[in-house]
C-alpha cells in the first residue's frame, strides 16, 4: 500500500527534535525538489551533515535517503486523497463520517509503522510472566486502562484497574517485583501519571508505557515504551485520535497473551461465561 509520506512526517512532527523539524519543514515545502536532489544537496541546503539527513530518514521509518525518495516520488507522481482533510461546515453526515473513518485508518497505519518488534516482544514477555497486571491512566486515558482491564480478565492473569487517580496511586504502592504496570498517557507528561509510575518503580514492579511522545518523562522512565501517532484536526484533538491506536495496541497485547496462555485463557473464559449465563433469566 502506498504510504502518504508527507502526512507521515506531519503526524510525527510533534515528536521530532528541532533539527529534525527543520528537515521536515524543508521536505514539506519542497517535495518535488527533494525527489531530484542528492542527499549531499539536501544537506548543503540545510547547512547540515549528510549523516543528519540520513538519520532523519531512518527516524521516520525508511531504510535510508533513497528509500525515502522513492516513497516521496510515488506520492508526488500519483497523488492520493489526503485523508486528514479538515471537516467543513458544508460537509453532510456521510462526508464527515468518511473523513473520520479515514483518519482513524491512517492513525492505525502510522502507528503500526512505528511499533518496534523488539519492544512489543519484551512487553508480551513481561505480561506473560506477571503475577498481577495493573492498568493505569488518568482523564481520557482511564477509559483505555479500563478497556485493558476488561480484556485481560480473560487471560487468567489477575488484572486490575481503577478510575480514581488516588485509588490508582494506592494500588501502585502495593505492587511487587512480580507485577507489571501498563500506563497510558498520550502526552506522557501528566503529573498524576508520573507519580504513579514513580510509585510503581519504587516497589520494583516493571512498567510498560503507551504514549505518543518518545521524549516524554513517562516514555523515558518506563521499562518498555510503545508509541502511537496521530494528527490533530480542527474538530478532533490528537489525543482523541490516538486512543484508537492505544486500543489497538491493547488488543494486540491481549491476543499475544491469549496465544501464549491458551489453556489458562480458555479456562478463564469458560468461568466467565458460566458466571454470566447464571445471571440471565
Amino acid at each position: 500500500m502506498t504510504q502518504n509520506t508527507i502526512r507521515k512526517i506531519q503526524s510525527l512532527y510533534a515528536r521530532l527534535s528541532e533539527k529534525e523539524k527543520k528537515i521536515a519543514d524543508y521536505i514539506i515545502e519542497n517535495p518535488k525538489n527533494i525527489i531530484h536532489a542528492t542527499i549531499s544537496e539536501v544537506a548543503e541546503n540545510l547547512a547540515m551533515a549528510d549523516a543528519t539527513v540520513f538519520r532523519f530518514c531512518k527516524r521516520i521509518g525508511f531504510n535510508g535517503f533513497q528509500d525515502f525518495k522513492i516513497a516521496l516520488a510515488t506520492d508526488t507522481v500519483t497523488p492520493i486523497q489526503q485523508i486528514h482533510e479538515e471537516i467543513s461546515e458544508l460537509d453532510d453526515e456521510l462526508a464527515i463520517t468518511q473523513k473520520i473513518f479515514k483518519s482513524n485508518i491512517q492513525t492505525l497505519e502510522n502507528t503500526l509503522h512505528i511499533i518496534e518488534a523488539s519492544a512489543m516482544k519484551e512487553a508480551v514477555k513481561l505480561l506473560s510472566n506477571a503475577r498481577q497486571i495493573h492498568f493505569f491512566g488518568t482523564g481520557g486515558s482511564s477509559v483505555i486502562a479500563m478497556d485493558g482491564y476488561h480484556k485481560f480478565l480473560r487471560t487468567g492473569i489477575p488484572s486490575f484497574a481503577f478510575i480514581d487517580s488516588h485509588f490508582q496511586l494506592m494500588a501502585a504502592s502495593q505492587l511487587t517485583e512480580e507485577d507489571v504496570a501498563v500506563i497510558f498517557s498520550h502526552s506522557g507528561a501528566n503529573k498524576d501519571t508520573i507519580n504513579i509510575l514513580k510509585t510503581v518503580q519504587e516497589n520494583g514492579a516493571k512498567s510498560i508505557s503507551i504514549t505518543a511522545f518518545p521524549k516524554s518523562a513517562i516514555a523515558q522512565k518506563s521499562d518498555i515504551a510503545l508509541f502511537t501517532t496521530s494528527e490533530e484536526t480542527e474538530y478532533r484533538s490528537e489525543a482523541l485520535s490516538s486512543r484508537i491506536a492505544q486500543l489497538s495496541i491493547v488488543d494486540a497485547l491481549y491476543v499475544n497473551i491469549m496465544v501464549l496462555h491458551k489453556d489458562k485463557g480458555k479456562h478463564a473464559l469458560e468461568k466467565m461465561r458460566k458466571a454470566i449465563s447464571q445471571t440471565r433469566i
Side-chain angles (χ1 to χ4, degrees):
M1 183 176 184
T2 302
Q3 292 211 10
N4 190 332
T5 311
I6 296 297
R7 283 293 176 180
K8 183 177 181 182
I9 293 172
Q10 290 172 331
S11 69
L12 293 169
Y13 192 84
R15 290 166 277 284
L16 300 177
S17 67
E18 291 306 312
K19 187 172 287 187
E20 289 170 338
K21 285 180 180 177
K22 184 177 179 181
I23 299 173
D25 290 338
Y26 181 77
I27 292 170
I28 292 169
E29 293 169 6
N30 308 280
K32 292 185 178 180
N33 292 340
I34 298 292
I35 295 170
H36 303 290
T38 65
I39 190 170
S40 296
E41 289 170 339
V42 173
E44 183 178 352
N45 289 337
L46 291 166
M48 296 179 183
D50 292 10
T52 304
V53 177
F54 179 80
R55 284 194 297 270
F56 171 82
C57 296
K58 297 279 285 185
R59 172 81 166 82
I60 60 173
F62 295 95
N63 293 327
F65 184 69
Q66 190 63 27
D67 184 37
F68 166 73
K69 282 210 307 179
I70 291 171
L72 187 62
T74 301
D75 290 343
T76 304
V77 174
T78 311
I80 64 175
Q81 183 182 12
Q82 302 299 316
I83 70 168
H84 282 295
E85 297 170 278
E86 292 292 342
I87 302 296
S88 167
E89 293 180 1
L90 300 177
D91 289 338
D92 61 21
E93 292 81 1
L94 180 59
I96 292 174
T97 301
Q98 289 173 333
K99 289 180 180 181
I100 293 300
F101 269 69
K102 289 177 181 179
S103 177
N104 287 343
I105 291 168
Q106 188 64 48
T107 293
L108 292 173
E109 289 182 345
N110 287 346
T111 297
L112 180 61
H113 194 80
I114 65 172
I115 288 178
E116 295 181 358
S118 59
M120 200 68 180
K121 185 174 183 178
E122 285 300 311
V124 170
K125 183 179 178 181
L126 280 184
L127 294 169
S128 178
N129 295 324
R131 180 182 70 99
Q132 293 182 357
I133 301 172
H134 284 247
F135 296 89
F136 298 100
T138 62
S141 294
S142 66
V143 179
I144 313 299
M146 291 303 295
D147 180 75
Y149 163 63
H150 179 254
K151 287 188 174 72
F152 273 73
L153 275 175
R154 295 162 170 78
T155 65
I157 303 172
S159 302
F160 305 90
F162 300 95
I163 292 291
D164 185 88
S165 60
H166 293 290
F167 282 4
Q168 291 185 45
L169 192 59
M170 288 189 287
S173 72
Q174 301 303 305
L175 298 186
T176 70
E177 294 178 357
E178 300 177 275
D179 302 323
V180 175
V182 182
I183 301 173
F184 300 91
S185 174
H186 172 71
S187 68
N190 180 277
K191 290 183 178 179
D192 287 338
T193 312
I194 290 173
N195 284 336
I196 290 169
L197 174 58
K198 182 180 177 182
T199 303
V200 165
Q201 293 179 326
E202 286 174 349
N203 286 280
K206 296 295 184 182
S207 55
I208 300 170
S209 65
I210 300 178
T211 180
F213 293 88
K215 295 183 179 180
S216 65
I218 286 173
Q220 293 292 314
K221 294 177 181 179
S222 58
D223 294 298
I224 299 171
L226 299 173
F227 301 110
T228 62
T229 181
S230 59
E231 184 171 308
E232 185 167 347
T233 63
E234 183 177 359
Y235 292 96
R236 199 170 188 227
S237 72
E238 183 184 3
L240 181 61
S241 180
S242 74
R243 288 177 197 167
I244 299 294
Q246 290 177 336
L247 288 168
S248 296
I249 290 177
V250 171
D251 285 347
L253 292 171
Y254 162 70
V255 173
N256 269 285
I257 297 303
M258 287 297 281
V259 170
L260 289 174
H261 291 232
K262 185 177 179 180
D263 293 335
K264 192 175 183 179
K266 183 179 179 181
H267 181 61
L269 278 172
E270 288 174 350
K271 289 175 67 178
M272 250 184 217
R273 287 168 181 160
K274 182 179 178 181
I276 292 172
S277 67
Q278 291 174 348
T279 66
R280 294 173 181 162
I281 299 175

